[in-house]
Amino acid sequence: MADIIRLLPDHVANQIAAGEVVQRPSSVVKELLENAIDAGATEIQLIVKDGGKTLIQIVDNGKGMSGTDARLSFERHATSKIQKAEDLFNLHTKGFRGEALASIAAIAHVEMLTRTEEDEIGTRIKMEGSKVVAQEVVVAPKGTSMLVKNLFFNIPARRNFLKSDQVEFRHITDEFHRISLAHPQVAFNFYNNGSDVFQLPANDFRKRIVQIFGRKTDEKLVPVEEETHVVKISGYIQKPEFAKKSRGEQFFFANNRFIKSPYLHHAILGAFEGLIRPGTHPGYFLNLEVDPGTIDINIHPTKTEVKFDDEHTLYAMLKSTVKHSLGQFNVTPALDFEQDQNLDTPYSYKNKEVGIPQVVVDSSFNPFEAVKTSRGNSTSNYSKPKVEGWENLYLGMDMSIDGDNHSNLEFESEVVNSSIFDEGQEVVDHTTTTFQLRKKYIITTIKSGMVVINQSRAHQRVLYEKFLKNITIKEAVSQQLLFPLTLSFSPSEISILNEIKENLCTVGFVFGEVAEDGVEIKGVPVLVVESEVQMIMEQLISDFQQEVPGDSFSQSDMLAKTLAKTLSVKTGETLDEFSQVKLVNDLFACKETTLSPFNKKVYMTITENDIERKFI
């Protein structure tokens, strides 16, 4: 049989390997920013166009490269970070594999311009699909400029899987946040489509957090500091009252490298236990400094998943440190064991019996008695008002109100405490028998047996179709707030709200001023309670960050789903008989009755024959 195993060409192998390192434009941004940090740069510029699909450019003032190093850097597994296998356990740099530039050059048009401080002239290299198109000597400033154009130009399938420009830009912004937070001593400038996004001068860690997430973040932060022989913990946590449903502001940095660790995140949740609402997550920005020999970074190409030698000790220390900071800064209630002794009962009174206090009443006191003033005149404290000619009070008013003018009169409507449904109460068939089981299911009878309905999923379906209809025909009813609400968000969250603002208005929200760090809400939909607005907005932002829809229809669909999920009746809520009947009627008036908006079964039917079989 002929030999069938053969080596792949280098350009094919590079394209295959590039899929691990370069998953989307944000992956390119991460790798190039980390290279700039490793080069000792103090100022870094990030320029992006069309969500990174058209252009990604990173300019730094690092130490640069010679002509030979510049050409060699595009070879696979060529790196200046390590020399032998033992160096993997003593890493002090971001990169070490030597795969990033080779992977990027394999699937994009790359142009590098670099010069060292010792050289008088620099080097320019152009590459397309792992092939060197040009290499020349040019005049260049100290440092390196990397230009990446037309990402995935030779892999159309990968390019088609990219999301919209807004979605890809959001992922790039997340990577920028992580690297700029890990290195506050480095100045960063971020430009998108010719406009400024971030201008971050070199600063300390706390000011860098405020620069990225808004001025109001400063009042939310509680410092954390602890140093042991195992780990040094520093950074900030947010106060419990600012916990959110989304996980947007949770950052762990191990040796100045952003990491993801559900295990350590659980330690933070344990420290906040009893202080935050269930289902919410506290914000934190924590730096962990450990011995490089006790951490393994070489697990995944993204280098965000790491392994610690002694995770259990780290877990316990992190949890106790956060608890200590919450108590130290009077965030949590604590017992005062050093009470002021002056507030205690004196010893001479401790054994005395408690007597009934004596009340002395002046029987001769008369509040209406005339009082002598200093001038000798007597005045009375009270005088009965006299009204003469009460008819004069109505002079100038039109008293001829006839039946024709009654239509112009406006009366304030009486406040009615309704149930979860506000309309169509007269069409409910009260003869239908309903029963609520364990505050979760509604059981109603039909001709052939009975129906068991999940009340939460049924209400989700009803609200979902209602909100989707309002968004489509733009006829939502809004209730104006007496005092407008001002909600604070980070700049990235504000950008998401601006994207979905138009659809939110069609649902019934009325917006006032939208600033960089907050938004004013003047009106809300009829079904929304004022106290739930913050939670609804956070849930909306969280859903859009995770599922990131591209077109307007997807945005409308997700908005309707999120509002339905947030405002629907939850398991454990008691419904009166009228609400049960109304929910059943509204469910079977929907276009789709069997599935919830999230494709879950809404009800099941038990026929009379099914019941009879149980008694055989």
Side-chain angles (χ1 to χ4, degrees):
M1 186 176 67
D3 298 333
I4 60 174
I5 297 178
R6 58 181 60 89
L7 289 174
L8 289 173
D10 288 340
H11 70 279
V12 177
N14 287 343
Q15 289 184 14
I16 296 172
E20 284 290 325
V21 179
V22 183
Q23 299 174 356
R24 59 195 330 154
S26 60
S27 306
V28 176
V29 172
K30 173 182 180 297
E31 297 293 342
L32 296 183
L33 284 178
E34 289 182 348
N35 283 347
I37 296 291
D38 289 339
T42 57
E43 294 182 5
I44 301 176
Q45 295 184 31
L46 170 61
I47 303 169
V48 174
K49 287 186 179 179
D50 301 330
K53 301 174 185 177
T54 304
L55 171 70
I56 297 173
Q57 183 177 7
I58 293 180
V59 183
D60 67 71
N61 63 347
K63 55 188 178 184
M65 288 180 285
S66 64
T68 305
D69 286 345
R71 177 63 187 88
L72 192 59
S73 64
F74 287 100
E75 297 296 329
R76 187 161 297 281
H77 306 304
T79 179
S80 62
K81 316 298 173 60
I82 62 174
Q83 296 180 358
K84 52 186 183 297
E86 289 75 13
D87 293 341
L88 289 173
F89 302 100
N90 191 25
L91 291 173
H92 297 279
T93 57
K94 304 294 178 200
F96 52 86
R97 288 198 182 96
E99 292 181 329
L101 289 184
S103 299
I104 295 170
I107 44 88
H109 295 163
V110 179
E111 180 179 334
M112 174 192 285
L113 184 65
T114 181
R115 180 180 74 86
T116 62
E117 191 172 3
E118 296 80 13
D119 297 335
E120 294 182 357
I121 53 177
T123 304
R124 172 184 288 164
I125 297 179
K126 291 184 178 180
M127 300 193 68
E128 295 180 2
S130 298
K131 296 180 181 179
V132 179
V133 177
Q135 180 172 353
E136 56 187 349
V137 177
V138 294
V139 178
K142 172 183 172 289
T144 303
S145 172
M146 292 292 301
L147 202 68
V148 180
K149 298 180 180 178
N150 304 325
L151 198 63
F152 299 121
F153 79 99
N154 52 355
I155 311 178
R158 290 291 300 274
R159 188 177 182 88
N160 292 336
F161 277 106
L162 294 179
K163 303 295 184 181
S164 65
D165 292 350
Q166 294 84 359
V167 173
E168 298 300 338
F169 172 71
R170 201 171 302 146
H171 284 285
I172 292 175
T173 305
D174 290 340
E175 292 293 346
F176 179 82
H177 285 170
R178 295 166 182 175
I179 295 177
S180 59
L181 283 173
H183 301 277
Q185 74 280 2
V186 180
F188 289 90
N189 296 323
F190 185 8
Y191 304 94
N192 177 47
N193 293 332
S195 61
D196 294 351
V197 181
F198 285 104
Q199 299 285 338
L200 307 178
N203 229 319
D204 59 21
F205 190 42
R206 181 166 191 148
K207 291 182 180 177
R208 177 57 59 86
I209 296 173
V210 174
Q211 289 171 351
I212 294 177
F213 294 99
R215 292 170 295 176
K216 294 185 178 180
T217 310
D218 193 27
E219 62 187 27
K220 305 177 184 178
L221 301 179
V222 176
V224 176
E225 193 76 34
E226 186 65 46
E227 185 172 1
T228 66
H229 67 283
V230 177
V231 61
K232 179 182 178 182
I233 303 173
S234 61
Y236 299 91
I237 55 176
Q238 291 190 1
K239 297 177 182 178
E241 59 265 28
F242 298 106
K244 297 182 178 180
K245 295 181 71 65
S246 61
R247 296 191 181 188
E249 298 179 4
Q250 287 81 27
F251 293 89
F252 276 122
F253 302 99
N255 295 349
N256 294 328
R257 182 192 303 273
F258 173 78
I259 63 170
K260 295 179 181 179
S261 177
Y263 185 65
L264 297 182
H265 177 73
H266 188 270
I268 303 294
L269 292 180
F272 277 87
E273 186 177 3
L275 300 176
I276 59 177
R277 301 189 306 272
T280 58
H281 302 274
Y284 52 81
F285 311 86
L286 297 176
N287 298 302
L288 310 176
E289 294 184 25
V290 298
D291 183 5
T294 63
I295 183 174
D296 185 7
I297 304 168
N298 193 21
I299 295 177
H300 192 272
T302 59
K303 297 188 282 288
T304 57
E305 300 176 12
V306 299
K307 288 292 183 183
F308 296 95
D309 278 357
D310 194 356
E311 284 189 329
H312 297 290
T313 303
L314 192 60
Y315 180 98
M317 287 184 177
L318 189 61
K319 183 176 180 179
S320 60
T321 302
V322 173
K323 271 193 171 184
H324 175 70
S325 294
L326 290 172
Q328 183 180 6
F329 292 92
N330 296 326
V331 178
T332 59
L335 296 175
D336 187 6
F337 294 102
E338 299 179 358
Q339 187 178 356
D340 188 358
Q341 298 296 328
N342 296 327
L343 300 179
D344 295 338
T345 306
Y347 288 105
S348 57
Y349 287 89
K350 279 191 174 182
N351 298 325
K352 284 191 174 183
E353 296 182 358
V354 179
I356 300 176
Q358 300 296 323
V359 180
V360 180
V361 179
D362 185 5
S363 58
S364 62
F365 175 73
N366 183 3
F368 303 104
E369 185 180 3
V371 180
K372 295 284 185 178
T373 62
S374 58
R375 295 183 180 180
N377 299 327
S378 62
T379 60
S380 176
N381 290 335
Y382 174 79
S383 60
K384 183 177 180 181
K386 296 181 180 180
V387 179
E388 296 181 357
W390 59 269
E391 297 89 350
N392 297 329
L393 296 174
Y394 298 94
L395 288 177
M397 296 184 63
D398 186 7
M399 302 299 292
S400 59
I401 299 179
D402 53 13
D404 295 337
N405 294 330
H406 287 175
S407 59
N408 298 326
L409 297 179
E410 296 183 359
F411 300 95
E412 184 176 358
S413 60
E414 183 181 358
V415 177
V416 179
N417 294 325
S418 62
S419 58
I420 61 172
F421 302 100
D422 295 329
E423 55 184 349
Q425 297 183 1
E426 67 278 1
V427 300
V428 179
D429 181 12
H430 289 281
T431 60
T432 305
T433 303
T434 61
F435 173 74
Q436 188 178 24
L437 177 65
R438 298 190 178 276
K439 299 181 181 179
K440 184 176 182 180
Y441 302 103
I442 295 176
I443 301 176
T444 184
T445 58
I446 56 177
K447 291 182 179 180
S448 60
M450 63 180 181
V451 179
V452 181
I453 304 172
N454 186 305
Q455 65 182 30
S456 179
R457 296 178 184 177
H459 199 200
Q460 286 178 11
R461 167 52 64 179
V462 173
L463 293 179
Y464 169 72
E465 294 197 2
K466 181 176 181 179
F467 283 124
L468 203 58
K469 179 181 177 181
N470 290 340
I471 294 174
T472 305
I473 63 177
K474 300 182 179 181
E475 293 184 358
V477 180
S478 176
Q479 55 182 355
Q480 299 297 312
L481 298 177
L482 184 60
F483 300 101
L485 291 175
T486 302
L487 308 178
S488 60
F489 296 103
S490 64
S492 60
E493 293 173 336
I494 290 294
S495 65
I496 295 175
L497 283 178
N498 284 328
E499 291 180 25
I500 61 176
K501 180 180 176 182
E502 183 178 353
N503 285 334
L504 286 173
C505 292
T506 59
V507 174
F509 286 97
V510 179
F511 290 90
E513 181 183 0
V514 179
E516 293 182 357
D517 56 354
V519 60
E520 184 184 43
I521 297 179
K522 295 183 177 180
V524 296
V526 176
L527 296 177
V528 176
V529 183
E530 182 178 347
S531 59
E532 296 179 348
V533 175
Q534 176 81 36
M535 180 183 66
I536 292 173
M537 289 298 176
E538 291 177 2
Q539 185 67 47
L540 279 170
I541 293 173
S542 174
D543 290 346
F544 273 82
Q545 284 176 334
Q546 293 174 6
E547 298 189 28
V548 286
D551 53 19
S552 59
F553 175 77
S554 299
Q555 285 190 6
S556 303
D557 183 68
M558 182 179 292
L559 178 61
K561 284 181 179 179
T562 302
L563 290 174
K565 179 175 63 176
T566 307
L567 300 175
S568 63
V569 175
K570 304 297 185 293
T571 299
E573 293 187 26
T574 304
L575 301 181
D576 56 23
E577 183 182 355
F578 168 77
S579 297
Q580 296 172 25
V581 176
K582 184 67 169 62
L583 178 57
V584 173
N585 291 343
D586 282 356
L587 172 64
F588 290 103
C590 293
K591 295 182 179 179
E592 171 62 53
T593 60
T594 57
L595 296 176
S596 73
F598 304 95
N599 294 325
K600 302 226 178 136
K601 192 173 183 180
V602 174
Y603 66 89
M604 59 175 292
T605 304
I606 302 177
T607 63
E608 187 176 351
N609 293 332
D610 294 335
I611 299 175
E612 290 180 353
R613 290 194 196 100
K614 298 294 183 182
F615 292 94
I616 295 177

